Amino acid sequence: MAATAPTPAGRIEHDVPVDALTGLMRGGAFESLLNRSITGSPAAQFAVIVIGLDRFQHVNDLLGYGAGDLALYATARRLSGTLCADAGVCRLGGDEFAVYFPACDEPAALLHASIILAAFEQPVHLEGRDIFLSASIGLAVFPRDGACGASLTRRAAAAMHRAKSRGGGAVERAGLDPAFRPEERYRMESALRFALARDQFSLRYQPQVDREGMLQGLEALLVWDHPDLGRIRPETFIHLAEETGDILPIGEWVIAAACRHITGWRATGLQPPRIALNVSPVQFASPGFVDRVTAILKRTGIGGSCLEFELTEGCILRDVDESASHMAEFRSLGIRIAIDDFGVGCSPLTYMHRLPLDVVKIDRTFISQLTGPAGSLPVVHTIAVLAHHRGLQVVAEGVETFDELELVRAARCDLVQGFLFGAPLTHDEVARLLANPSSLGKSFRSPHPSAF
Ligand code: C2E
Ligand code: MG
Ligand code: MG
């Protein structure tokens, strides 16, 4: 479908492809608009806002896809009606929209974002009902956050997903980790670009132990050792890598490295357990991810059943059915699917029954708050009961003390991992552990050594 779409400075461009449902320009035209703005006036600041509807899947589920379409149409109208005339609005796809604000710095863009959020406080009238939608917003500013339309949109979208995964209804700025000052961020971003080529990444493995104290799995955790910046934890750089797109090659390196390690351990007669790998939402949603994983398995000669993918709620929020079908594809390769950090998001129980899962990993915030009058023990217990009812395995993350160990045992968790068993292990330390599995029990002096 072709029609007219707004461009900066009020010019009307003809034959721009528009979205059939909303009449808004589509993502490709939007990026061209941003690129034209950059080439037209390279010194002029502008802002890009990406808007995602929170828990939009519920509207489809409750009222049907027809009502979902009406809600998207109403959102498009609402956005166009709220924004100033020179803003360019587009539908990126699904429940995601983007807006270009010419001649706009970050404070002004934040003001626009808060006006958009306020507009969502009014219900949408759909098929005789008032439906309340809420939105998450990600914000990127040219030139600070990207040099072209595609990178600015990608970064604003990654920030939006961060806002969503923290509960929604909020604004996040691209790459603005409170730990970073702008110059630090620039330094880290440049360093990240070369980290793979300079061989600065390595993996650590954290044991997962069953109720008999036996090693049942190892979670691979990425470590970045930079010669000047020192050791950088994944929590510090994964978001940045997601925004810059570096997460795709880094994520593939992680999968390939773990597969090579499995082959290496086996070559020396050792029998590694299943390896759990963290998969970023950006990686999970990237086109061709299943094919790339299949190619790595083939290249390294590793069967999928040696691996487990840990996905967070961010992998699922976008579209539950689409996520479920990706998961099913991985499971058909033999890879198990775990939901990581379970319980910290907004409504994990509502989609748990719709996903082809194998494992639920209860977030460590619940484990560290097990004790006390308002302790989380009943929550952990309920999650375990529900998960077992569905035939899922339950892992308690971040177990640091024997008290916690006893309580997660009482709450019927199947596996535990945490600093109680020591720091995550290097490749060579894993080899020593596999050669002498009883050393696992010795690494923590349990008052009840045989079990947890
Ligand atoms: P996660 O997947 O929930 O991993 C567990 C994190 O908790 C790890 O931190 C681990 O060292 C830490 N941890 C384990 N036991 C304990 C404990 O008893 N107490 C405490 N306080 N912490 C504990 P790490 O290595 O910094 O990883 C942080 C997060 O970074 C991970 O959380 C995961 O979301 C992400 N991450 C790590 N490796 C990768 C990777 O290869 N790819 C992607 N996409 N993300 C990764
Ligand atoms: Mg994990
Ligand atoms: Mg976790």
Side-chain angles (χ1 to χ4, degrees):
M1 189 176 174
T4 56
T7 65
R11 289 193 316 272
I12 296 295
E13 185 129 310
H14 291 277
D15 297 327
V16 170
V18 300
D19 173 52
L21 175 66
T22 59
L24 297 175
M25 77 177 112
R26 294 205 302 239
F30 183 74
E31 284 177 10
S32 308
L33 169 64
L34 303 183
N35 290 336
R36 276 202 307 281
S37 169
I38 293 167
T39 38
S41 30
Q45 259 197 339
F46 65 84
V48 177
I49 275 180
V50 168
I51 301 147
L53 299 182
D54 298 327
R55 299 172 280 284
F56 181 65
Q57 186 68 26
H58 292 197
V59 176
N60 285 333
D61 290 349
L62 289 173
L63 303 177
Y65 285 94
D69 283 354
L70 286 176
L72 292 171
Y73 180 78
T75 301
R77 296 281 70 77
R78 178 171 283 182
L79 283 174
S80 306
T82 309
L83 299 168
C84 46
D86 58 353
V89 190
C90 106
R91 182 177 175 215
L92 289 175
D95 61 5
E96 291 180 9
F97 298 82
V99 188
Y100 158 77
F101 292 100
C104 181
D105 59 10
E106 188 170 270
L110 281 169
L111 192 64
H112 286 301
S114 61
I115 292 169
I116 294 172
L117 283 186
F120 276 93
E121 284 167 13
Q122 297 304 316
V124 177
H125 199 65
L126 275 187
E127 297 183 338
R129 303 185 198 201
D130 278 340
I131 302 292
F132 284 89
L133 298 170
S134 86
S136 297
I137 294 183
L139 186 164
V141 179
F142 174 81
R144 187 195 67 191
D145 297 320
C148 68
S151 69
L152 286 160
T153 311
R154 192 173 61 227
R155 287 176 173 198
M160 181 276 287
H161 283 293
R162 237 173 26 240
K164 258 192 187 188
S165 64
R166 289 176 186 169
V171 184
E172 281 276 342
R173 288 172 277 176
L176 208 86
D177 186 313
F180 296 149
R181 292 195 304 277
E183 61 277 15
E184 280 175 333
R185 184 202 146 93
Y186 177 75
R187 227 175 137 204
M188 180 144 326
E189 200 175 311
S190 320
L192 193 57
R193 199 160 303 143
F194 297 105
L196 258 189
R198 295 185 181 159
D199 209 15
Q200 291 167 352
F201 289 118
S202 60
L203 293 180
R204 296 289 180 275
Y205 292 93
Q206 183 166 45
Q208 298 180 330
V209 180
D210 70 12
R211 300 174 71 86
E212 275 71 50
M214 304 294 289
L215 180 70
Q216 294 297 347
L218 292 164
E219 177 179 359
L221 296 164
L222 188 59
V223 177
W224 177 19
D225 285 303
H226 186 272
D228 303 324
L229 302 171
R231 174 157 297 177
I232 306 162
R233 292 192 49 197
E235 264 158 354
T236 313
F237 69 84
I238 292 285
H239 282 321
L240 196 58
E242 286 172 340
E243 285 171 21
T244 59
D246 290 316
I247 192 67
L248 296 181
I250 293 173
E252 276 176 44
W253 178 88
V254 168
I255 300 171
C259 289
R260 279 196 307 273
H261 286 168
I262 294 173
T263 317
W265 289 318
R266 284 183 175 166
T268 56
L270 299 170
Q271 291 200 326
R274 184 180 286 109
I275 305 290
L277 300 167
N278 292 285
V279 174
S280 142
V282 175
Q283 202 180 355
F284 186 68
S286 68
F289 181 47
V290 181
D291 295 337
R292 292 196 297 278
V293 172
T294 310
I296 294 172
L297 294 177
K298 209 164 161 196
R299 203 168 61 234
T300 53
I302 292 296
S305 60
C306 304
L307 302 180
E308 181 172 291
F309 280 175
E310 294 194 2
L311 310 176
T312 51
E313 202 182 347
C315 297
I316 296 149
L317 281 171
R318 215 185 161 104
D319 182 328
V320 181
D321 296 324
E322 196 182 314
S323 311
S325 84
H326 282 323
M327 290 178 190
E329 286 184 82
F330 288 117
R331 282 177 110 214
S332 69
L333 296 173
I335 300 172
R336 297 208 315 175
I337 302 291
I339 289 291
D340 202 356
D341 306 337
F342 191 84
V344 288
C346 30
S347 53
L349 289 174
T350 57
Y351 56 68
M352 191 163 123
H353 67 285
R354 293 174 49 192
L355 297 172
L357 301 177
D358 300 282
V359 180
V360 165
K361 298 191 69 180
I362 302 179
D363 191 68
R364 74 163 181 269
T365 48
F366 292 101
I367 309 306
S368 59
Q369 293 165 20
L370 281 168
T371 49
S376 52
L377 186 60
V379 180
V380 173
H381 188 253
T382 306
I383 295 174
V385 169
L386 290 171
H388 286 154
H389 183 68
R390 278 214 49 211
L392 308 181
Q393 198 172 39
V394 179
V395 182
E397 293 194 285
V399 174
E400 294 181 349
T401 67
F402 289 113
D403 287 346
E404 289 167 356
L405 192 66
E406 288 300 322
L407 288 168
V408 296
R409 179 176 197 271
R412 315 296 313 153
C413 295
D414 304 298
L415 302 182
V416 284
Q417 61 180 103
F419 292 165
L420 183 64
F421 301 91
L425 307 170
T426 62
H427 167 273
D428 293 348
E429 286 167 339
V430 170
R432 283 198 285 280
L433 172 66
L434 295 176
N436 180 15
S438 62
S439 61
L440 185 65
K442 286 180 200 138
S443 69
F444 67 105
R445 282 181 292 281
S446 167
H448 312 290
S450 66
F452 74 87

